[in-house]
Each structure stands twice: as C-alpha cells, then as structure tokens.
Amino acid sequence: MAQSKSFAAVRIPCELCPLRARETFRDFDSTELGFVSSFKIAELLLEPGTTIIDEGQRHPQLYTALAGWGFRYKILEDGRRQVLNYVLPGDLIGLQGNLMSEMLHSVEALTKMTLCVFERERLTALFQNHPSLAYDLTWIASREESILDEHLLSVGRRTALERAAYLLAFLDHRAQATGVFPEEGPKVLPLTQQHVADTLGLSLVHTNKTLRRLSDAGVVRWLDRGSEVLERGKLFDIAGWQPSVEGMRPFI
Amino acid sequence: MAQSKSFAAVRIPCELCPLRARETFRDFDSTELGFVSSFKIAELLLEPGTTIIDEGQRHPQLYTALAGWGFRYKILEDGRRQVLNYVLPGDLIGLQGNLMSEMLHSVEALTKMTLCVFERERLTALFQNHPSLAYDLTWIASREESILDEHLLSVGRRTALERAAYLLAFLDHRAQATGVFPEEGPKVLPLTQQHVADTLGLSLVHTNKTLRRLSDAGVVRWLDRGSEVLERGKLFDIAGWQPSVEGMRPFI
DNA sequence: CGAGTGGTTGAAACGTGTCAATCCTAGTGG
DNA sequence: CCACTAGGATTGACACGTTTCAACCACTCG
C-alpha cells in the first residue's frame, strides 16, 4: 500500500479553481475568495491506495477534494470493513474530527487524487469572520448526513439487488453532477467488487453474483476494475430511488 | 395515531433551562443566551406516537428536544422502515438535509416529549451574529454524522447479536449521559421490539429471538414495551464497542 | 515466467425471513 | 366486575437469501 503523500510543485490558486467554474458549485464573493485562498496552505497529490486519514489518529488538517475518487470507511477489530461514503471533487474531508480529538473513520484514495489542504485551527477564524462560509460548512455537514441516512436505509432495508442498483445509480449521478467523468470515453466508476461489497454490507461472492444479474439485464457493464452505467432509468427503477434535485451547492 | 401538537401553557425561559444545568452540556455566555432566548418562539408538548416531521414536506421550524424520546426514520414505498437514530434531550431536530428545502426523513415521538421551537429563517441571523453558536451547529451536525457512521458499520457488518448489543449499549449510554433516566426506579429504554428491528435492519421475529438470547444471558431485561440494561460491561464485550469519551457538548 | 490482484463459479452450511399461531397485558365499554 | 379488543411479545416450522469454502480464470506487473 503506497503511503507516500507528495506536495505539489505547482499549486492552483483558488482564483483559478477548476471546480468553481462548474455550474454545480456556488460562487464566492471576493471576500470569501480571499479568505479561502489564505486558508489553503498546500496541495496534495495522492496515488491510488494512499491512506489520507487514519481512524484513531489526531489529524490537524482538513481537505477538500479537487480531483479524483476516494472513500471513507470504518473497520471492526477483526477486519470487517464498512465503506461509509465516497469522496468526490468538492467534498470536504475530515470535518468531524474537529470535535472529538481523534478521527473516527479512515479515508483512502481510490484513484489518483488532488487535495487542497487546510489548517483545522483556522476554522475559528472562518466562523468569526465569514458567516456565509460557516453556513456552508453546516450545509455540507448536513448534506453528508442525509446521504448517510439514505445509505443506512439501503443497507438496512433494501434487498441485495436493490442495494447494488442504488449504489451504482447514486455514484453515477454524483459523478455526473460534480463532473469527475472525462468528457470523452466511458464514464467508469473506479471501484473493485470488494469496495462494492463493503459498501453494501454483503460478501464478495454474493456481490459478484448480484452485479452479474445487473450485467445480464444489460443495465451496467463491469470492466476491469470498475463499472459503467448503461441504463440509468432502469437502475432507478430497480433501486426504487431517484436522486433529489439539488440546486447549486457550496464548497470550501 | 395521535397527531395533536399542543402549545404549552407555560414556557420555560432559556435562562432556567433544565438541560443547561446538567454538566454534560456547555454553558452559554449572556449574549448567546439572549439570542437563543429570542430564537425560541414556542414550546411543544407531544404525546407518544405524534409525528413531528414528515418526509417530503417543507418544515419551517427547527426543534431542540427538551424532554422525552423520539426517533428519526425513513420508509420505502412499500412500507419497509429504517430507524436512523434516536432523539434525546439536547438533540436538534430538522437540521439534516438541505437546510432550507424539503425534509428527507421523518421524526416521531416515542414517549411524551417537550420541544423548543425555533424559526428556521432566523438561522441566518445566528450565523451572522453568533459565530460560537454557528460553530456549535456544525459541531452538532458532524456529531450526528459520526453516530450514523457507527450505525452504518453496525447494520452493514455486525452480526444480529452484536448489533442488538451495540444498539442497547449505545442508547443506554446516551440516555445516561443526557440524563433522561429518572433518578429513581428502573432505567428503561422505551422501545418496542419493532423499533429495535427497524433500527437493526432485521425482521421482528428474528429480533425477538436475538433479544431473547441477550435476556437469557442476563445482560438485559425485556419489560412491557422497553428494556433495561443489566450488565453494561458484558454488553460492550458482545458488541465489540465502547462509547467514546465526550467532554461537554454544545446545544442550542 | 511467476506472483499478485481482481473476477467468476458451484456446492454446502448457516443465518434470517416468512408464515402462522398463541399468549399476555392494558385499556375499553357494557 | 367481566367480556372484549388491540398491540406487543413469543414460538416453531419451513423457505429462502447470504455466507463460506474452494476452486479456477484472466490480466498486469516485475
């Protein structure tokens, strides 16, 4: 497992942030922009498999994902792992560490990632001087919460097939909305079946068989280490789920 | 199902808030107290079974539980229900989801409850003028998040017995910490087995058999419509879980 | 070329769900 | 005071979904 974190030679200034250009994300006014610009202390480039945050450790930094995929998870003592959610561009990493001294979950990069690095300490200044950003932070936290609600509903009450369909629909939709997919070429969700299993609360073998049913129905295609959604509508039908229409969302 | 919400004849002023007296909760300074006092527009007294928030509806109010037990849940179209978390005194109700649009989950009273009522609109003023309270809000949201993380781990990866043990340990611990238990008499968690089942993601029958195993082991006792934890330590052992030590927590 | 990771498959064991009764208790109205 | 009722808890039998075990294949990388 690659543990190397390298600081980028070139650091994208927030003024030129590629995310901000996308219509999904709300704009900053110049004051906010100034603060966030100074809030950002570095940029991290990560290889797939890198651990970003380790459960049980103190972690003085916060991150915003700029590019790439990651995932949050927890493990039990005997190694059973539960994936809690996925990290996409615009997502804040490590917010809940602020209260408890130690992090209560881990985060790992799924693909190459770029992260903006912030100093946790400076959150106080953010709350003091930038109410609108403070509001955004709360907004972000409560959005993550509602995603977890839906996941919990899924793992607790949906069947294996529904769960799988929901997960792929959910990820495909989020990926689309945040614009992680390449302009050209297949829009692939970069997960192994082990990740899917650990997200759905199923065994690897059963996950494989469930995904196969989706493949056979022509709804998705499984690639080398990832999958591609072919029939969005059918997935929604199977899952019994629709993405809720979101307007612009904030990000720090 | 009783749907009546009645406004209290007597309204406890925030200055005399009984929760604030407890050592679990952090104190307000006088400015904060003044704001919260004006933020609170009413007090609600609810009968068991009352729906507080309805999924899919806009809900212009926020609440803080002052007394009693409630629970948050989601349901699928065919009626399958998943309990997401329980509401205890000091908990904020209605923060999750898009801060200003439709609710993505429902909330129901489990016992008689008392709620403080706030106007969602005035959140803006809170963020503008009271950074410390804004910070608290984020703290609260991200705490709920870490609880959901643990629940998701539980439902996804723990066995039925571990899950049941975890849930009872978790609730017993929270109840103890917030002081909902009566000073005298048995400390009972006011859930039916149906609630437990819907929290654990299990069927009612299997939940019954699982709880019976815990009863037979003498770890808990099941009462009429609730349970009592007898051996905290053993419960932790079975669950493979320990409550993380929290300092004082904020509440609005 | 061998090793490692990820995916695939079948069979058997096991945990959970479903169905269908029964019991218990608190609350209701005659 | 006694049916009567309704919600909650309990139980056994059986069906079904999921896990586990144990292979094997395909592909990439050093």
Side-chain angles (χ1 to χ4, degrees):
Chain A
M1 191 181 305
Q3 281 288 345
S4 63
K5 301 182 186 179
S6 57
F7 282 86
V10 263
R11 173 183 173 288
I12 301 173
C14 295
E15 291 75 13
L16 299 179
C17 180
L19 288 187
R20 204 148 298 291
R22 301 198 183 132
E23 72 272 3
T24 336
F25 296 103
R26 91 159 174 88
D27 244 342
F28 281 160
D29 64 31
S30 61
T31 333
E32 293 166 337
L33 191 58
F35 177 80
V36 172
S37 235
S38 77
F39 191 31
K40 174 172 170 180
I41 57 167
E43 204 164 289
L44 270 177
L45 294 177
L46 306 175
E47 288 303 307
T50 313
T51 298
I52 302 170
I53 283 181
D54 224 359
E55 187 174 345
Q57 302 292 311
R58 271 171 183 281
H59 205 88
Q61 279 96 37
L62 282 173
Y63 309 98
T64 288
L66 240 187
W69 294 70
F71 66 103
R72 299 199 306 121
Y73 65 95
K74 281 173 87 87
I75 40 172
L76 294 171
E77 291 192 353
D78 60 3
R80 282 175 286 177
R81 180 175 75 167
Q82 177 66 40
V83 173
L84 305 167
N85 196 8
Y86 291 83
V87 177
L88 272 81
D91 288 348
L92 194 56
I93 303 174
L95 188 58
Q96 51 278 88
N98 187 42
L99 23 134
M100 338 284 176
S101 35
E102 295 149 9
M103 302 304 296
L104 300 173
H105 64 268
S106 305
V107 183
E108 186 179 317
L110 212 45
T111 64
K112 285 196 177 201
M113 289 188 85
T114 312
L115 305 182
C116 302
V117 186
F118 306 116
E119 216 49 78
R120 203 178 278 277
E121 273 187 352
R122 295 210 53 218
L123 274 181
T124 323
L126 184 153
F127 278 95
Q128 284 295 334
N129 308 320
H130 299 276
S132 57
L133 294 179
Y135 182 88
D136 287 351
L137 269 189
T138 308
W139 193 99
I140 288 168
S142 78
R143 173 171 178 275
E144 176 82 10
E145 221 182 297
S146 64
I147 290 176
L148 288 173
D149 283 353
E150 188 74 43
H151 284 202
L152 194 47
L153 171 65
S154 199
V155 174
R157 286 310 186 199
R158 282 192 243 252
T159 66
L161 191 68
E162 290 168 346
R163 270 183 244 184
Y166 160 71
L167 176 64
L168 298 180
F170 167 78
L171 288 177
D172 184 65
H173 171 257
R174 279 194 62 193
Q176 198 81 41
T178 54
V180 247
F181 283 143
E183 303 258 327
E184 315 257 318
K187 305 185 182 314
V188 17
L189 311 173
L191 320 173
T192 67
Q193 297 193 351
Q194 185 66 65
H195 291 120
V196 176
D198 288 346
T199 311
L200 305 184
L202 296 171
S203 73
L204 178 59
V205 174
H206 196 62
T207 298
N208 177 284
K209 287 169 182 166
T210 305
L211 288 172
R212 174 138 282 268
R213 287 168 66 195
L214 288 177
S215 280
D216 290 346
V219 195
V220 304
R221 171 160 49 198
W222 198 266
L223 311 168
D224 183 24
R225 73 193 51 210
S227 68
E228 187 186 353
V229 173
L230 301 176
E231 304 240 29
R232 224 150 271 164
K234 282 193 189 167
L235 259 196
F236 291 150
D237 290 346
I238 297 173
W241 177 81
Q242 286 281 120
S244 58
V245 272
E246 284 187 72
M248 282 212 261
R249 50 183 267 237
F251 83 101
I252 306 290
Chain B
M1 192 180 300
Q3 281 287 346
S4 62
K5 300 181 184 178
S6 56
F7 282 85
V10 263
R11 174 183 173 289
I12 303 173
C14 295
E15 291 75 13
L16 300 179
C17 179
L19 288 186
R20 203 148 299 293
R22 300 198 184 132
E23 72 271 0
T24 337
F25 296 104
R26 92 158 174 86
D27 243 341
F28 281 161
D29 64 30
S30 59
T31 332
E32 294 167 336
L33 191 59
F35 177 80
V36 172
S37 237
S38 77
F39 192 29
K40 174 171 169 180
I41 57 166
E43 202 163 290
L44 269 179
L45 294 177
L46 306 176
E47 289 303 307
T50 311
T51 299
I52 301 169
I53 283 181
D54 224 0
E55 189 173 344
Q57 301 294 311
R58 271 174 182 281
H59 205 87
Q61 279 94 38
L62 284 173
Y63 308 98
T64 288
L66 240 187
W69 294 71
F71 66 103
R72 299 200 307 120
Y73 66 95
K74 280 172 89 86
I75 40 173
L76 294 170
E77 291 192 354
D78 61 2
R80 284 174 285 176
R81 181 176 75 168
Q82 178 67 39
V83 173
L84 306 166
N85 196 8
Y86 291 83
V87 177
L88 273 81
D91 287 349
L92 195 56
I93 303 175
L95 188 58
Q96 39 289 105
N98 281 353
L99 251 41
M100 291 301 177
S101 61
E102 293 150 8
M103 302 308 297
L104 301 173
H105 64 270
S106 305
V107 183
E108 185 179 318
L110 210 45
T111 64
K112 284 195 176 201
M113 290 188 84
T114 312
L115 306 181
C116 303
V117 186
F118 307 117
E119 216 50 77
R120 204 177 277 272
E121 272 187 352
R122 296 210 53 216
L123 274 180
T124 322
L126 185 153
F127 278 94
Q128 283 296 334
N129 308 321
H130 298 276
S132 57
L133 294 179
Y135 183 87
D136 288 349
L137 269 189
T138 308
W139 194 100
I140 288 169
S142 76
R143 173 171 178 274
E144 177 81 10
E145 214 182 303
S146 63
I147 290 176
L148 287 172
D149 283 353
E150 188 73 44
H151 283 201
L152 193 50
L153 171 65
S154 198
V155 174
R157 286 309 186 200
R158 283 193 242 252
T159 66
L161 191 69
E162 290 169 344
R163 269 184 245 182
Y166 160 71
L167 177 63
L168 297 179
F170 167 77
L171 288 177
D172 184 65
H173 171 258
R174 278 194 63 196
Q176 198 82 43
T178 53
V180 246
F181 283 144
E183 302 259 327
E184 315 257 317
K187 305 185 183 315
V188 17
L189 311 173
L191 320 174
T192 67
Q193 297 192 350
Q194 185 65 65
H195 291 120
V196 176
D198 288 346
T199 311
L200 304 183
L202 296 171
S203 73
L204 178 58
V205 175
H206 196 63
T207 298
N208 177 284
K209 287 167 182 166
T210 306
L211 288 173
R212 175 136 282 268
R213 286 168 67 196
L214 288 177
S215 281
D216 289 347
V219 195
V220 302
R221 171 161 49 198
W222 197 266
L223 310 170
D224 182 25
R225 71 192 54 207
S227 69
E228 189 186 353
V229 174
L230 300 176
E231 305 241 27
R232 225 150 270 165
K234 281 193 189 166
L235 215 45
F236 291 150
D237 289 347
I238 297 173
W241 177 80
Q242 286 281 121
S244 59
V245 272
E246 284 187 72
M248 281 211 262
R249 48 182 270 235
F251 83 101
I252 305 291

